[in-house]
Amino acid sequence: QEGVYERAKRRLSVDAKKEMEEQAEARKAHTTWLGALAQARWVLWAQEAVKAGRRERVRRRTLERCARKLQKWVRGIMVAKVLTTDASRREDALVVLRRGLTPSVLRWKMRRKTAKADVLQTFLTELAKNNAVKQRLSLFLFQMRRLQRVWRNYLRRERARMVLLSKQWDKAFLLIRTGGKYGRIGKTMH
């Protein structure tokens, strides 16, 4: 038989087990609750950090835009100053260059013109002396004119042919599209 001591020990162990299980469940619920609180606190902190980052980014972007506008404005003023001073300097330099170079440039142009005129005069003199060259040039010009005439006639005929084919196609397309309602399909184009 079991003794009183052993029965109390068993009853105590059953009660202790129940109590330990209850404490474990309470700890579990408490831990879950604390975890949820910590997670919610972290989420709120992250949201605030994101909002603060956005505000900072907007502030920086606004400052950068203001700085860019100021830079463009200052650059415009500086460029205008440089252009006006550079333009006056350029004008002064051009006046000096024109004064010094104009006579020599004019002499150089006159020499070139006279040299070209001499070459052309020599060619024409030699051409007049030699009748064979004149005949060759005349024959060449005649053949070129004839070739151009033939080519223009060919293009004219091709253009007329394309216009005729386009009209025939339009009529055939209309007949096919309307099913012969506006004429006959087998009829000729005259």
Side-chain angles (χ1 to χ4, degrees):
Q1 286 204 7
E2 241 182 315
V4 176
Y5 176 72
E6 290 164 353
R7 267 187 277 166
K9 190 177 172 185
R10 193 166 27 115
R11 201 177 310 134
L12 186 60
S13 65
V14 170
D15 289 341
K17 278 184 186 177
K18 279 184 186 178
E19 192 175 321
M20 285 173 56
E21 286 174 1
E22 287 173 2
Q23 285 177 357
E25 284 181 29
R27 251 187 262 120
K28 194 176 183 182
H30 185 70
T31 306
T32 307
W33 176 249
L34 281 177
L37 276 176
Q39 207 168 23
R41 189 176 66 214
W42 186 86
V43 166
L44 287 174
W45 175 82
Q47 284 178 345
E48 285 301 317
V50 167
K51 286 178 184 175
R54 284 181 184 154
R55 284 191 298 267
E56 179 65 20
R57 196 167 44 242
V58 167
R59 187 184 68 78
R60 282 184 188 165
R61 195 177 299 147
T62 305
L63 286 175
E64 286 175 5
R65 284 183 187 152
C66 292
R68 282 193 200 118
K69 285 181 183 176
L70 280 173
Q71 285 173 350
K72 284 182 182 178
W73 181 68
V74 169
R75 279 186 194 137
I77 290 173
M78 295 303 289
V79 165
K81 276 185 182 178
V82 167
L83 285 178
T84 54
T85 57
D86 281 356
S88 62
R89 286 182 193 157
R90 278 191 215 121
E91 287 297 321
D92 295 341
L94 282 175
V95 166
V96 170
L97 285 174
R98 282 186 190 130
R99 260 191 246 133
L101 291 178
T102 302
S104 58
V105 169
L106 288 175
R107 281 193 303 272
W108 175 67
K109 285 183 178 179
M110 286 303 293
R111 265 188 258 130
R112 280 182 46 204
K113 283 181 183 178
T114 55
K116 289 177 184 176
D118 290 343
V119 169
L120 187 59
Q121 187 177 3
T122 307
F123 172 73
L124 291 174
T125 307
E126 292 297 320
L127 186 64
K129 287 180 187 173
N130 194 352
N131 200 17
V133 175
K134 183 181 175 186
Q135 286 178 343
R136 296 280 181 188
L137 282 174
S138 299
L139 181 63
F140 173 74
L141 290 173
F142 170 73
Q143 288 173 347
M144 288 307 295
R145 288 182 190 125
R146 189 170 61 182
L147 177 67
Q148 287 174 353
R149 190 180 330 118
V150 168
W151 179 251
R152 286 189 195 112
N153 287 338
Y154 168 76
L155 288 178
R156 217 174 284 126
R157 280 194 307 269
E158 284 300 310
R159 212 173 296 125
R161 197 175 290 147
M162 285 297 133
V163 168
L164 179 66
L165 286 172
S166 175
K167 287 181 180 178
Q168 286 178 344
W169 169 252
D170 289 343
K171 184 173 181 181
F173 183 74
L174 180 68
L175 290 174
I176 291 169
R177 184 85 171 169
T178 60
K181 186 175 180 182
Y182 295 105
R184 289 194 172 150
I185 294 176
K187 199 174 180 183
T188 58
M189 289 292 297
H190 296 295

